[in-house]
Amino acid sequence: MAAKKDPAAKRRPTERDGDISWQAQKSAMTRDRILDAAINCFIELGYTNVTTAKVAQSAGVSRGAMLHHFPSKTELIQAAVEYLHDKLLEDYTRRIGEIPASLTGAARRRAGIRAYWDYLNGDLFTVYNELSFASRTDPELRAILESSQQVFEQHVLECNGTLFTEWLATGDRFLLAMDVSRFMMEGMASSRLMTDREARVERLIDYLCDRLEEIFKEGGSTAIGRHSST
Amino acid sequence: MAAKKDPAAKRRPTERDGDISWQAQKSAMTRDRILDAAINCFIELGYTNVTTAKVAQSAGVSRGAMLHHFPSKTELIQAAVEYLHDKLLEDYTRRIGEIPASLTGAARRRAGIRAYWDYLNGDLFTVYNELSFASRTDPELRAILESSQQVFEQHVLECNGTLFTEWLATGDRFLLAMDVSRFMMEGMASSRLMTDREARVERLIDYLCDRLEEIFKEGGSTAIGRHSST
DNA sequence: AATTAAAAACCGACCTGACTGATTAAATCA
DNA sequence: TGATTTAATCAGTCAGGTCGGTTTTTAATT
């Protein structure tokens, strides 16, 4: 649970490691250790149950040491949320990037859907979702999230655009497909305590994939033309 | 904000009001006042920011009085969640019930989707959603919600069944349609801070309604048969 | 019907425990 | 040595829960 003292993280780096002083490196390391610990606490305890003491303990530093790096809890949370945001982007990009290039067409799209589903069920997204809910009654948190929200949405759009170039060209349909996929899967991911979850999810993913293929099949279904604003 | 003392709620009833003693009535009234106040606090402050003092103040009761009715915060929360559960059921049933009988066929189904959308955007569901998230790291809350979850799902199923009898007969397709609608709309409802929300929602609801009609059009699309397990 | 005692509902001061933020001393590195 | 990082401790705040006492309702008794 609490990685008390990770010796590897505390090893002494070379005297002159690229013009950065040993102190600065050490400082940056403990800073990252604290932020990692904060994310971990978010996962294990939930956002509202996180205290500065628990984060410090989990990071293996004293509260005083932490207060040196983050003078107040608010600043710690802010830094942790930005850190989480970066990790989320990286997580999503990595999952998409791991789709083998050999997959093409419908199989590739399906793999993308599956990757997104796995991403949604990961700890990082769970925490992010929790933060989103908490932000409803927490103006400070809301301000942080709103800015990162747009950056993230934009990044996902670009990420998907480079992956599915054949879809990007369809413009409006591309956005519809993204929205349908996103909300349906996010809805499923949020409902963690439904009965017979696995079977229903598999079935819905099948259904979703079929709909996506349908959307991009030009003139496929009579009902689709209506939803293209062009 | 805080309905300090609602005189109407404190009026003295007739001496013998249906074999229930005045004391019991008074007790039940303040109990309900407290529970209403608790729900209100959930809405205004968020689950995690609710304190017993705030609930008592909002209900216009002293802390001591509240402790008399609910000896601990846990018991208060339990009662409030059950109370919320009842109100949710009533809210949903009412919204569906308000659909004019003159509407039939696709128009009726569309009205049902719209009613569900309004329901999802109401305060009550927002609070329920928040509780669901909080329950991830709160075993007590989780236990309460898990039991009410099943009751609720079952009730919605029956409610929709009586409304859309022509769908119920289709068995498996009915469940698919319910899941697709539910998760897609819940996903949309959860994403409160997306850009250009209204337009995207309208479009997705249009799309969803078309898909539902398609699902129940026997042999409509080639892709649907796969998802019927019969 | 009036009196009175018991019970229920209600009130608010107090206690405990946890969390945050500040201050001081010690240890470590330049 | 001087400066920076870490450790330990303290005070202030606020939460939930306890407890003695007060008022209101009920029931028993005369």
Side-chain angles (χ1 to χ4, degrees), chain B residues 84-96:
Chain B
L84 173 67
H85 176 243
D86 289 344
K87 293 191 81 169
L88 270 173
L89 274 186
E90 184 216 316
D91 185 32
Y92 182 72
T93 313
R94 182 183 55 74
R95 287 178 191 273
I96 297 294

Side-chain angles (χ1 to χ4, degrees), chain A residues 22 51-54 63 67 72-73:
Chain A
W22 154 236
T51 66
T52 55
K54 299 224 181 89
R63 283 194 58 242
L67 235 49
S72 74
K73 186 180 184 180

Side-chain angles (χ1 to χ4, degrees), chain A residues 4 53 57 60 79 89 97 110 112 134 154 161 164 192:
Chain A
K4 278 296 166 109
Q57 187 191 357
L89 274 186
R110 190 182 185 82
Q154 189 62 30
F164 309 113
R192 290 193 185 269

Side-chain angles (χ1 to χ4, degrees), chain B residues 23 26-27 30 61-62 64-65 68-69:
Chain B
Q23 245 188 16
K26 189 181 171 190
S27 179
T30 60
V61 183
S62 73
H68 173 75
H69 290 278

Side-chain angles (χ1 to χ4, degrees), chain A residues 1-52:
Chain A
M1 172 187 292
K4 278 296 166 109
K5 302 248 180 186
D6 187 359
K10 277 208 155 185
R11 71 166 168 69
R12 169 155 191 154
T14 57
E15 289 297 335
R16 300 212 62 75
D17 204 343
D19 266 6
I20 301 168
S21 72
W22 154 236
Q23 264 194 5
Q25 282 184 55
K26 191 180 169 191
S27 179
M29 278 199 305
T30 60
R31 201 186 135 92
D32 275 8
R33 279 234 313 282
I34 291 171
L35 291 179
D36 273 322
I39 306 267
N40 253 2
C41 286
F42 285 161
I43 294 172
E44 288 174 17
L45 308 170
Y47 170 66
T48 55
N49 299 324
V50 168
T51 66
T52 55

Side-chain angles (χ1 to χ4, degrees), chain B residues 75-127:
Chain B
E75 294 180 55
L76 170 63
I77 298 292
Q78 280 185 357
V81 170
E82 286 174 21
Y83 192 70
L84 173 67
H85 176 243
D86 289 344
K87 293 191 81 169
L88 270 173
L89 274 186
E90 184 216 316
D91 185 32
Y92 182 72
T93 313
R94 182 183 55 74
R95 287 178 191 273
I96 297 294
E98 279 176 357
I99 298 175
S102 57
L103 286 179
T104 55
R108 179 168 192 79
R109 292 189 277 273
R110 189 181 185 81
I113 291 290
R114 175 65 61 179
Y116 189 54
W117 176 244
D118 291 339
Y119 160 79
L120 288 179
N121 285 283
D123 283 337
L124 293 180
F125 182 78
T126 300
V127 169

